[in-house]
Every structure is written in C-alpha cells, then in structure tokens.
Amino acid sequence: MFSLINVLYFQAGLGALANIFLLLFYTIIILCHRSKPMDLISYQLTFVHIMMILTAGEIWLTDLFESLNIENDLKCKATFYINRVMRGLSICITCLLSVFQTVTISPSTSLLAKFKQKLKKYIIYALFYLWSFNLSFSSNRIFYVGAYTNVSETSQMRVTKYCSLFPMNIIIRGLILTMTTSRDVFLVGVMLTTSMYMVIILCRHQRQCKHLHSISHLRASPEKRATQTILLLVGFFVVMYWVDFIISSTSVLLWMYDPVILTVQKFVMNAYPTITPLIQISSDNRIIITLKNMQKICHQIFKKG
C-alpha cells in the first residue's frame, strides 16, 4: 500500500509539472503569437487536468485548506465538487478536440467543410456551454459528501482520509448514475465516431499520396501529426475512463471501497491528465523547437561560465 501511494505521488508530481509547463506555453502562444483555434481548446484541457490532479484524493489541496483553517466538511465538499466538474470537463473537452480536428481535416466536399471558417467563434461558444453545463450538472453531488465522522460508520462510504459519501436514496443514486452514464456514453460515442472518420480520411489521404509518389509530404503534414495525436489521446482516454467508471460505479452500487482499490482508481483517474501533456509536448513541433533553443542557450551559458 505504501509503495502504491508513493507511485501515486510521483504520478501526480509528473502530471502537474508537465501540465504547468504546457499551460505556460499555451498562455505565451495565445497572448504573444498567432495562435491556432486548437490552442484554445488545449489550453482549457491543460487547466482542467491541473485542477484534476490537485483535487484527486486530497494530494495537495488538503494542505492548502488546512493552512487556511477551513473546516473539513467545507473542504470535502469543495474538493469533491471541483474534481467532479473537472472530470466532466475533461471528457467534454476531449470530445470537442476530436470533433474540431475532424472538421479541420474533412474534405472540402463534405458537409463539415462549411463549419471550417467559423471554427474559432463556435469554439468559444462551445467552451462556454461546456463549463456552464458541468458546473450545474455536478452541483447536486455536494449534498452527498462531507467530513468523515465515527458516528454510524456503516452508513458512510469513506473515500479519502477525511471525506466520505453519505447514504442517498436508491432512486436518487440510480438517477445520478443514469444521467452520468448517459452523458459519458454519448460523448464517448461521438469520440469513437469522429475517430473512425479521421482514420478513414487518413487512410484515403495515404493512398492518394502513395499514388502521387509524395510520401515525404505525407510524413511532414502537420494535420496528420495533429490527427494521430488526437487519435492516441482519444483511444487512451476511452480505456482509462471506462476502467475508472467500472471501479467507481461498482463501489457506489455495492457501497464499499477497499483502500487498495481506491488507490488504484486514483492512479487510473490521474493517468490521462498525466500522459496527455507528455504526448502533446512530444508531438508539437513548436514546443520541440522551443525546448531545443532553450537547450542551446543553456549550453552556451554553461560554456561561457
């Protein structure tokens, strides 16, 4: 158990550092350079992942709350609510990223082509709607979480050191589970549909390039690299999300959380926000060029010193 917790802390530290670096990079790009519409979506996703890591299992936010002398009940409600909102936003924005890239690479003859010119405007509206929807969608959860007490322990399901879920009516529990599952199944369905469409477009483009003997152009295509990155992110997200969903749903329905299973779930839940920035950093030429330039500057400074 001790080693699992150490792994969890290492994962959280790695994920936080990678996402903070990516957030700073996108901030500079958006404010100081000519940014792409996708940069705004990636910026939002990166911010969401930082908040997910900070609120997952009271890793760091607990110390902040304790230093501010905030009582446990309020701390639990705030942490749980923020984490649920961010988890919802993670799946929604990942879906938006997939849809956006599908529209971007769609042929000029397709029905999606007419949206290309208005993408930036649509993205701002879509992000505003997603934030509003998830902030309201998760608001009902705060009534069923609070500080852990020793009174009537059997009726509480302890999920962290200080917090637990309170018993709820079976109808309400089923309704919340049904609504959450419906939202997630719909969004995952959209992601899988757009992913298949992107794969078809990539295969078609590859056949055309082979026919024209311009394989080098295919390899250098920024659109292809971006599409492959998003396909990888979507695939990884779907696997990690459903593992997390199965664990959490089973635990809530059985009203029982084993400490080891809870730690494993936290690891699975943080896997996507940790891996995502690493994939984005390694696949974005702008970041790679920036890192190489920084390496050269550091090498020159140390050489002079």
Side-chain angles (χ1 to χ4, degrees), residues 52-273:
M52 278 183 68
I53 292 170
L54 289 177
T55 56
E58 299 182 327
I59 293 177
W60 290 314
L61 213 60
T62 301
D63 297 329
L64 174 62
F65 282 134
E66 285 180 357
S67 65
L68 295 173
N69 294 320
I70 296 175
E71 62 180 34
N72 284 343
D73 195 60
L74 181 59
K75 175 183 66 181
C76 291
K77 289 182 184 298
T79 306
F80 188 82
Y81 174 68
I82 293 169
N83 186 258
R84 288 291 165 177
V85 171
M86 295 304 145
R87 287 176 72 184
L89 281 168
S90 181
I91 184 172
C92 289
I93 296 176
T94 301
C95 181
L96 179 63
L97 198 64
S98 180
V99 171
F100 170 81
Q101 188 61 21
T102 302
V103 175
T104 302
I105 67 169
S106 60
S108 57
T109 54
S110 69
L111 294 173
L112 296 174
K114 63 181 181 180
F115 295 106
K116 287 186 182 182
Q117 302 300 323
K118 300 179 180 179
L119 276 180
K120 198 162 188 178
K121 181 181 176 182
Y122 286 144
I123 285 169
I124 294 170
Y125 286 135
L127 288 171
F128 176 78
Y129 169 76
L130 292 179
W131 274 90
S132 301
F133 171 75
N134 283 282
L135 285 168
S136 58
F137 185 82
S138 302
S139 61
N140 59 343
R141 309 294 183 86
I142 60 177
F143 298 107
Y144 300 103
V145 68
Y148 178 76
T149 60
N150 291 325
V151 182
S152 63
E153 291 183 11
T154 54
S155 64
Q156 300 178 57
M157 183 169 69
R158 197 169 184 173
V159 291
T160 66
K161 184 179 179 181
Y162 300 104
C163 305
S164 63
L165 289 175
F166 298 140
M168 61 182 76
N169 184 286
I170 191 168
I171 297 174
I172 295 174
R173 190 189 307 178
L175 184 62
I176 291 174
L177 186 62
T178 302
M179 289 172 63
T180 306
T181 305
S182 301
R183 179 198 65 182
D184 296 346
V185 167
F186 171 75
L187 292 171
V188 169
V190 172
M191 282 191 272
L192 291 176
T193 303
T194 53
S195 296
M196 286 189 290
Y197 183 70
M198 284 189 280
V199 168
I200 292 169
I201 292 174
L202 282 179
C203 292
R204 188 182 301 166
H205 181 61
Q206 189 167 4
R207 285 198 301 269
Q208 290 173 350
C209 287
K210 283 183 179 180
H211 179 70
L212 297 171
H213 304 287
S214 57
I215 305 300
S216 59
H217 172 70
L218 175 66
R219 288 175 181 167
S221 170
E223 289 80 9
K224 185 189 175 185
R225 276 199 306 272
T227 304
Q228 288 174 333
T229 300
I230 291 168
L231 287 172
L232 183 61
L233 291 177
V234 168
F236 185 70
F237 177 86
V238 171
V239 173
M240 290 296 101
Y241 184 85
W242 285 111
V243 172
D244 172 42
F245 180 79
I246 290 168
I247 294 173
S248 59
S249 299
T250 304
S251 300
V252 170
L253 287 173
L254 297 177
W255 205 249
M256 182 179 65
Y257 248 127
D258 181 79
V260 176
I261 292 176
L262 182 61
T263 305
V264 171
Q265 185 194 8
K266 290 173 186 174
F267 177 82
V268 172
M269 190 170 65
N270 276 350
Y272 180 68

Side-chain angles (χ1 to χ4, degrees), residues 4-22:
L4 281 174
I5 293 173
N6 285 341
V7 170
L8 192 65
Y9 271 89
F10 172 78
Q11 181 198 42
L14 177 63
L17 288 173
N19 278 293
I20 288 170
F21 169 80
L22 204 59

Side-chain angles (χ1 to χ4, degrees), residues 292-304:
K292 285 181 178 178
N293 290 336
M294 288 173 62
Q295 185 182 17
K296 287 179 183 178
I297 292 169
C298 291
H299 180 70
Q300 288 175 357
I301 291 171
F302 284 120
K303 196 173 180 181
K304 286 179 182 179

